[in-house]
Amino acid sequence: MRATWAILAGLVVGGGLAWWLGRDASPRQSPEARERAEQAAAAQAEDALRPLYRWRDAGGQLQITDNPPPKGTAYERLAREPAPGIQVDAGR
């Protein structure tokens, strides 16, 4: 009789353990919450990729801004992240 109870208890504990390990641990998100999270991630990625602009104003002062200079002003676009590796430019 004890062996039957031990087997039954083992099956219950084993079944509970199998359920616990096999369940999906990630929480379910509503479609609205998922969309908001995707929009926030896209905005953050866009902000990280925005270039900087280097230009000189009418007084000759060097300006580095995240907004483009006024029209007709010569400028150089700068990446926020440097290019990987070493670049050699003899013209500089």
Side-chain angles (χ1 to χ4, degrees):
M1 188 71 167
R2 284 187 169 203
T4 305
W5 284 106
I7 292 172
L8 185 58
L11 287 173
V12 168
V13 169
L17 183 62
W19 170 81
W20 181 262
L21 294 176
R23 69 185 173 86
D24 185 13
S26 63
R28 302 279 183 214
Q29 284 186 341
S30 67
E32 295 85 16
R34 183 175 297 127
E35 184 177 342
R36 284 193 312 269
E38 289 173 358
Q39 288 174 349
Q44 193 174 27
E46 180 183 322
D47 189 40
L49 297 176
R50 227 177 255 163
L52 293 174
Y53 298 92
R54 180 172 31 194
W55 51 283
R56 295 207 178 262
D57 62 11
Q61 294 291 320
L62 179 64
Q63 303 289 328
I64 299 177
T65 62
D66 57 351
N67 295 323
K71 290 192 179 215
T73 306
Y75 66 91
E76 178 183 358
R77 284 180 81 156
L78 306 172
R80 288 191 185 240
E81 301 246 348
I86 298 173
Q87 295 179 351
V88 178
D89 185 3
R92 287 189 166 188

